[in-house]
């Protein structure tokens, strides 16, 4: 009940109504507090040496500090392991500041992952946070950084009036649905020729980020969507937001981590199947990355 977002007082009322058992909110809180040792153990557990894909994102929670409610970020990392299964590698409570602060905190997160045994990742799918690719390269210099195209399109539409957003979004589709990088570059030129008069910032932003927007073109069409969006972690975050939205705010970061960990356990039980078309992806990884792919996967 707690993991699904019910407060201690709601659980108290439910137990009394259904089972005629009187339990104080304090006792319920103490029972759930025992989970924190499990959280600490989970957060420091050893990880696999190689994760072909990493999705990195963050969600915002409200924490009460010195009498004020402040927005804090919970940083989330999902890895796709060598068998194609998703796995949450950890949760970190950190600042919700500017791009520099975010990139700096991500550097700490990535360093911790390396210290827990992650030696290599092939692709890191991230949002458009400035400095993020540099943070990744510092810890995993051979990793390809793929900016999430969903984030890129959203950022592009910030420069567009509400009435024109649907049209501009449709005009951007041919770029990331192109068959090759060269074709995508041509589609971008066509977009710029049509839209630069009204929205020159959009094509400039795409060109500026082009190196990190196009790695997915090296992969078969069937698996590109797995690579070019952070949908896996965004879907998880959406489920987590449903759990925390009834809370309003948390007394401290540990309270938020406790609830999110319990919710994760419940959500992860549904992750029973590997990523779609994973064998095709693994074959392509073997061709592209050679010796970096463990021999057991190449067999």
């Amino acid at each position: 009940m707690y993991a699904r977002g019910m407060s201690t007082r709601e659980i108290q009322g439910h137990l009394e109504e259904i089972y005629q058992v009187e339990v104080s909110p304090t006792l319920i809180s103490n029972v759930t507090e025992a989970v924190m040792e499990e959280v600490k153990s989970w957060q420091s557990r050893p990880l696999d040496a190689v994760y072909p894909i990493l999705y990195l994102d963050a969600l915002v929670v409200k924490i009460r500090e010195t009498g004020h409610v402040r927005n804090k970020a919970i940083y989330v990392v999902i890895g796709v392991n060598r068998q194609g299964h998703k796995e949450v590698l950890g949760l970190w409570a950190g600042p919700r500041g500017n791009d520099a602060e975010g990139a700096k905190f991500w550097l700490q997160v990535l360093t911790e992952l390396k210290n827990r045994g992650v030696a290599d990742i092939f692709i890191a799918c991230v949002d458009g946070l400035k400095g993020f690719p540099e943070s990744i390269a510092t810890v995993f210099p051979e990793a390809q950084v793929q900016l999430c195209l969903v984030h890129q399109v959203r950022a592009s539409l910030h420069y567009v009036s509400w009435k024109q957003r649907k049209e501009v979004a449709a005009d951007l589709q041919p770029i990331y649905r192109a068959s090759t990088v060269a074709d995508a570059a041509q589609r971008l030129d066509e977009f710029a020729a049509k839209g630069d008069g009204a929205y020159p910032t959009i094509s400039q932003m795409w060109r500026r980020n082009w190196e990190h927007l196009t790695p997915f073109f090296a992969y078969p069409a069937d698996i590109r969507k797995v690579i070019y969006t952070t949908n896996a972690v965004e879907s998880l975050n959406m489920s987590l937001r449903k759990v925390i939205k009834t809370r309003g705010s948390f007394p401290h970061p540990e309270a938020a981590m406790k609830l999110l960990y319990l919710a994760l356990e419940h959500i992860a039980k549904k992750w029973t199947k590997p990523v779609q078309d994973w064998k095709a992806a693994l074959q392509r990884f073997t061709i592209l990355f050679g010796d970096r792919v463990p021999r057991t996967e190449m067999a």
Side-chain angles (χ1 to χ4, degrees):
M1 289 185 286
Y2 189 85
R4 298 192 181 196
M6 292 179 67
S7 68
T8 53
R9 293 195 179 278
E10 287 172 336
I11 295 172
Q12 178 194 35
H14 180 78
L15 292 174
E16 187 172 350
E17 179 181 350
I18 302 298
Y19 301 106
Q20 291 77 51
V21 175
E22 293 187 12
V23 180
S24 71
T26 301
L27 176 59
I28 296 170
S29 180
N30 290 339
V31 170
T32 58
E33 195 63 32
V35 174
M36 281 310 300
E37 287 303 316
E38 188 176 336
V39 173
K40 292 175 182 177
S41 177
W42 173 79
Q43 187 71 20
S44 61
R45 74 195 188 281
L47 299 173
D48 291 350
V50 176
Y51 286 91
I53 303 176
L54 237 57
Y55 304 102
L56 305 100
D57 203 358
L59 71 157
V60 176
V61 297
K62 295 183 181 296
I63 306 293
R64 291 194 296 275
E65 290 183 340
T66 62
H68 298 280
V69 176
R70 306 183 190 279
N71 287 335
K72 294 288 186 179
I74 300 293
Y75 294 75
V76 185
V77 177
I78 295 180
V80 179
N81 63 26
R82 288 170 291 174
Q83 291 72 44
H85 290 279
K86 292 184 295 184
E87 175 186 347
V88 179
L89 305 190
L91 297 170
W92 294 263
R96 184 175 183 259
N98 56 33
D99 284 357
E101 290 174 334
K104 184 178 180 180
F105 191 84
W106 274 119
L107 179 60
Q108 295 177 30
V109 169
L110 291 162
T111 301
E112 180 179 319
L113 293 179
K114 190 160 191 176
N115 290 338
R116 289 167 59 193
V118 181
D120 195 11
I121 57 176
F122 301 158
I123 300 170
C125 188
V126 303
D127 62 19
L129 180 73
K130 288 183 180 179
F132 208 163
E134 290 76 12
S135 294
I136 294 168
T138 299
V139 183
F140 298 105
E142 293 187 285
Q144 291 184 342
V145 177
Q146 171 70 56
L147 292 184
C148 173
L149 288 174
V150 173
H151 281 84
Q152 180 74 9
V153 171
R154 287 177 188 164
S156 300
L157 297 181
H158 287 164
Y159 300 99
V160 181
S161 66
W162 281 102
K163 290 184 178 180
Q164 298 297 318
R165 287 191 173 189
K166 187 174 182 180
E167 178 184 349
V168 173
D171 289 341
L172 288 169
Q173 283 187 6
I175 301 173
Y176 56 86
R177 290 185 175 178
S179 56
T180 65
V181 174
D183 186 27
Q186 184 176 342
R187 301 287 85 79
L188 178 58
D189 289 340
E190 293 171 358
F191 175 88
K194 177 182 177 180
D196 273 5
Y199 312 109
T201 306
I202 297 178
S203 62
Q204 292 171 13
M205 182 171 58
W206 280 72
R207 295 188 198 283
R208 186 168 59 250
N209 294 331
W210 195 246
E211 175 189 356
H212 297 307
L213 287 170
T214 54
F216 75 94
F217 282 110
Y219 299 89
D222 290 345
I223 62 170
R224 286 181 178 180
K225 194 171 182 179
V226 174
I227 295 169
Y228 72 59
T229 77
T230 54
N231 280 355
V233 70
E234 287 203 1
S235 176
L236 172 66
N237 287 351
M238 187 180 300
S239 298
L240 295 177
R241 287 188 187 101
K242 290 179 181 178
V243 173
I244 63 177
K245 70 178 181 180
T246 59
R247 293 307 179 90
S249 63
F250 294 90
H252 45 77
E254 290 75 17
M257 294 287 282
K258 178 176 65 174
L259 176 60
L260 290 172
Y261 169 75
L262 290 170
L264 275 174
E265 278 199 320
H266 177 71
I267 294 167
K269 289 177 181 178
K270 301 176 183 178
W271 294 351
T272 57
K273 296 181 180 179
V275 169
Q276 188 175 0
D277 297 309
W278 184 247
K279 287 186 177 180
L282 201 56
Q283 289 174 355
R284 187 57 59 101
F285 290 145
T286 302
I287 294 170
L288 291 174
F289 302 120
D291 293 342
R292 291 170 62 192
V293 180
R295 291 184 177 276
T296 54
E297 310 304 328
M298 299 172 61

